[in-house]
Amino acid sequence: MPRGLSRRSFLTSAGVVGGAVLGGGLLSSSQVLAAPNRATVAHPMKQVHLAGTDGWVAMPGDAPPDPPFFPDPLAPSPFNTYVFGFRDVTGMSSNLVAAQRGKAQVSAPMMAFDEDDDVYLTLTNLGLAQRPDLFDGHTLHWHGFVNAIPLFDGVPELSLAVPIGRDLTYFYRPHDAGTYMYHCHFEDVEHVQMGMTGMVFVRPAQNRTPLHPGERYAYNDGDGSTAYDREFAFMLTELWSAAHYRDAHIQVNDWTDYDPSFWLLNGRAYPDTVAANGDPLSTAAGRLQYQPISSLIRCNAGDRVLLRMSNLGYQNHAMTVDNLDLTVIAKDASLLKGRDGTTNYLTTNMVEIGPGESRDALFVAPGPGEYLLYDRKYSYLENGGGAGYGGMMTKIVVGPPGTYPAQTAANA
């Protein structure tokens, strides 16, 4: 079947197990799955295991109280907000998997696969520790993918949902490179808002035979125009404290009253967005331990930097960098290049992303210094109505050449 570069065509021949795996495995995990030898295996197999559950996370502590919704009085220290989410449990024993109940991660693990990998993703539903009265199923819906068969689509009315205490293994073979996203599609308005969202990247086949030694590409561009040295990924969402409080306290939400309190990058609001991976805040005792994905951008002057952005919130966002040109190379996992080779890349300093959309943009790092990447709508740059900056903002820190070693994973 002929395939284009459209977002939907990705799934016609692609399959991603109901989880988040791409390229070398879960990007946020220390466990990287060994890739089979491509010389002897036609389709390298990747296996990932995710678990769905609930838990507690921390929005910035200096946000003003909004009783009774924020901080939630049920939240154990040092947390203040109730969430649902997915955890990476790849390689864990069944006892260790069960022990993850009540330890949801926001945003969900980032995954990366190569084109034509055979991806087996097992989803386990651990149930909700805070709400044992609920019997919600969970699914993995690969947003924008064209599924090989409806069974693995993740829309429970048309495929399957995973009940509490059970597993389901999804299978996919991705054929089209790009930036995608996934989310739970069971009670999807609620589960997406509560935190069951993540990103997945498909690496292009062009990486296997680079045009120049050592190059990596975002897409099969044919001319090297999507080559990059470093990549950083951002899941854009909003958080409505009242809805999270009501879910924790066995109350019903009216979603037509949607009124976010926090605007998040990878599950964090500024200034938490600039805490680096491995920061004490993210350790087992830190308040960001269940929000482990940093949004800090660090690069060397002259580096080509790829920004992957996905929006699984309910509002439009316009990500902006002052005094720095961004080249948008793809929208919704479709390279902006015609069949005749004509490029339709857009050079701008603002990237607009609507709900359910993704964008890929490149920039060449300027001289050493710090730059802000932020939402152009200033009302999204605060935390719970408090003073000072917050919300959907992070930093681009540029060092002299050689300051930062080669990157090993997105957001490293």
Side-chain angles (χ1 to χ4, degrees), residues 82 84 131 134 136 186-195 238-248 251-261 312-315:
Y82 180 60
F84 301 167
R131 292 293 305 274
L134 290 182
D136 285 7
F186 191 99
E187 297 286 354
D188 54 321
V189 172
E190 176 189 17
H191 286 204
V192 166
Q193 165 59 205
M194 290 300 292
E238 309 99 31
L239 189 146
W240 183 21
S241 294
H244 290 247
Y245 170 90
R246 293 187 184 113
D247 261 15
Q251 299 180 16
V252 177
N253 282 301
D254 182 350
W255 294 101
T256 62
D257 292 335
Y258 186 64
D259 185 17
S261 317
L312 276 177
Y314 304 136
Q315 297 176 327

